[in-house]
Amino acid sequence: RLERLQRVVTKLQMESGLCEEQLNQADALLQADVRLLAAGKAPQKAAEVERDLDKADSMIRVLFNDVQTLKDGRHPQGEQMYRRVYRLHERLVSIRTEYNLRLKSGAPVTVTSVTTVSGQRRPEGDEAPLRYLQDLLAWVEDNQRRVAAAEWGADLPTVETHLGAHRGLHHSIEEFRAKVERARADEDMGWGGWPIWGRGHAGVSVTGDNSSCVPRRPQNSSKSRLRHLESLHGFVSAATKELLWLSEREEEEVAFDWSHHNPAMAAKKESYS
């Protein structure tokens, strides 16, 4: 058991290093495109950045699964490995946020001002965070679909894989929900001092009571799926142990010498009775 858990630690150390390299590459490409935008040129690496971030996201979900294996096995390095993977996840969220805000939304680096209907001056950059909010809402809808369409698994290894992957996804959803709540609390501060979280161009509330349900939908679905996956994992684990026990008994019966000359036959009969 300890050898198996130590192999998981070694795997975590190696793959977390690869994930960090993936994030470094994504960040380097992102910063190169940000510099192009600052120079008034079109970004060149957006597709590569998004692909690298998606790869890192998949890797982190597997890493969370391995971390859970360590914690379930009460390995002394379980908490240390968890913090390592959590830091990778935080960096992924940070890079993806900057990508959505500065690159995907096409936010201008130099901000000029326009006059609103009310006569106030505000930065044209208001368009960028509003597009960013649309990207975040699209993220919510995408993950809602992923949770709804996710598979369950028909044996212990696949159930464990799905459980680990969903724990990573659920962590992302929970963190996203927390960020939305912080944004709602700070909405008077807004983007550069403007309340962009509070109202769009037409004065429609972006984080009002109705929209607060949006990030809650995938959170509730994710909680439900996590609960069912953990229940399924418990059942399949117990069933697998029973099947292994039956297999061991079967091997004993097949290998047993059933001839009358076997001196153990009397004990076998007594055992059967």
Side-chain angles (χ1 to χ4, degrees):
R1 172 181 161 276
L2 288 175
E3 287 178 0
R4 179 177 64 85
L5 292 176
Q6 192 56 45
R7 285 196 296 270
V8 174
V9 171
T10 302
K11 177 174 176 282
L12 269 166
Q13 290 171 334
M14 181 182 69
E15 293 187 357
S16 61
L18 294 174
C19 183
E20 188 169 13
E21 291 177 8
Q22 192 81 51
L23 290 171
N24 288 340
Q25 179 174 301
D27 195 25
L29 293 173
L30 172 61
Q31 298 310 319
D33 268 0
V34 167
R35 287 192 292 272
L36 287 176
L37 282 174
K41 299 177 182 178
Q44 303 292 323
K45 304 292 185 181
E48 292 180 46
V49 173
E50 190 153 4
R51 187 164 58 248
D52 285 343
L53 291 176
D54 287 342
K55 285 181 183 177
D57 185 85
S58 298
M59 294 172 75
I60 287 172
R61 291 182 194 181
V62 175
L63 290 172
F64 270 123
N65 185 25
D66 290 338
V67 165
Q68 191 62 42
T69 299
L70 291 183
K71 296 183 84 172
D72 290 343
R74 298 181 180 177
H75 191 277
Q77 288 181 268
E79 189 61 33
Q80 175 190 347
M81 291 294 103
Y82 170 77
R83 288 195 297 270
R84 184 170 182 173
V85 176
Y86 185 78
R87 283 195 296 270
L88 288 173
H89 181 264
E90 281 189 319
R91 188 164 181 225
L92 170 67
V93 171
S94 175
I95 296 173
R96 193 181 288 280
T97 299
E98 185 177 7
Y99 166 73
N100 285 330
L101 181 59
R102 304 187 67 180
L103 199 61
K104 193 172 181 181
S105 68
V109 176
T110 57
V111 179
T112 57
S113 298
V114 295
T115 304
T116 63
V117 176
S118 62
Q120 290 182 319
R121 304 284 289 177
R122 74 177 179 192
E124 285 181 345
D126 276 1
E127 288 287 348
L130 289 172
R131 282 195 295 273
Y132 175 47
L133 284 176
Q134 291 172 348
D135 289 337
L136 293 180
L137 292 174
W139 183 92
V140 169
E141 295 299 332
D142 178 58
N143 281 284
Q144 176 72 11
R145 286 192 296 270
R146 287 171 63 185
V147 171
E151 297 181 357
W152 298 93
D155 54 34
L156 186 57
T158 54
V159 170
E160 287 181 338
T161 298
H162 289 309
L163 178 58
H166 187 71
R167 278 173 172 153
L169 176 60
H170 184 70
H171 184 82
S172 298
I173 292 172
E174 289 282 356
E175 187 165 272
F176 175 81
R177 173 69 181 172
K179 286 179 182 293
V180 171
E181 290 300 332
R182 286 198 296 273
R184 286 170 60 83
D186 296 338
E187 82 178 297
D188 287 339
M189 297 298 295
W191 173 262
W194 295 91
I196 60 93
W197 284 97
R199 303 202 171 273
H201 288 294
V204 178
S205 175
V206 176
T207 57
D209 293 336
N210 292 333
S211 66
S212 66
C213 298
V214 175
R216 195 177 296 127
R217 285 209 318 268
Q219 183 189 41
N220 292 341
S221 299
S222 179
K223 278 184 178 179
S224 176
R225 174 170 167 77
L226 182 60
R227 185 173 63 252
H228 291 314
L229 271 171
E230 288 174 340
S231 175
L232 176 63
H233 181 260
F235 170 77
V236 175
S237 295
T240 300
K241 288 179 182 178
E242 298 296 338
L243 288 170
L244 288 172
W245 183 87
L246 284 173
S247 179
E248 290 170 359
R249 300 292 80 74
E250 181 182 21
E251 288 176 6
E252 287 180 9
E253 298 305 301
V254 170
F256 188 75
D257 178 10
W258 291 93
S259 68
H260 293 292
H261 304 293
N262 186 356
M265 185 61 75
K268 188 66 152 179
K269 288 181 178 178
E270 184 176 344
S271 174
Y272 266 34
S273 66

